[in-house]
Amino acid sequence: MKESNRQEELTKFFKQVKQEFSQMYPELEGLNDEEALEVHRKLIAEQEAENQGRLKEHLEVFTDAVIAIIATIMLLEIPLPSHATSFHAF
């Protein structure tokens, strides 16, 4: 009984995914289940590759920003207050 419920849930989930996929990509609606699954896997692989590229770009931009801030502080030569005995008074 437990196995049949699980099978029904999986079948329902698969139908829902297939329906969402056909709504997102109506031109691929005529494919059978195996073809649709293969196209879906390829699309996911492309999206993952694109996301990894974005992550690298974001890391590069963040690194550039940190370096720019450090260079700006070094160029401005901001002195520490001479009357402060600790950083808490700063």
Side-chain angles (χ1 to χ4, degrees):
M1 184 170 179
K2 197 175 195 181
E3 185 66 30
S4 65
N5 285 342
R6 184 170 183 219
Q7 185 65 32
E8 289 174 11
E9 289 178 11
L10 287 174
T11 303
K12 185 188 292 185
F13 176 73
F14 183 72
K15 286 180 182 178
Q16 183 181 5
V17 168
K18 187 176 178 182
Q19 182 181 10
E20 290 175 5
F21 182 72
S22 65
Q23 288 175 352
M24 290 171 47
Y25 305 99
E27 65 274 4
L28 303 176
E29 192 168 339
L31 299 177
N32 64 29
D33 291 346
E34 291 178 10
E35 292 171 335
L37 186 60
E38 185 63 30
V39 170
H40 188 41
R41 285 182 181 152
K42 287 179 183 178
L43 290 171
I44 288 175
E46 290 173 7
Q47 288 175 349
E48 287 177 356
E50 184 178 313
N51 287 343
Q52 287 181 355
R54 280 194 204 136
L55 179 62
K56 183 180 178 186
E57 290 174 11
H58 288 205
L59 184 60
E60 289 174 356
V61 169
F62 177 75
T63 304
D64 290 346
V66 169
I67 291 172
I69 291 169
I70 291 170
T72 302
I73 291 172
M74 289 173 60
L75 288 174
L76 292 176
E77 296 180 9
I78 300 174
L80 291 175
S82 59
H83 63 279
T85 58
S86 69
F87 289 113
H88 297 290
F90 184 62

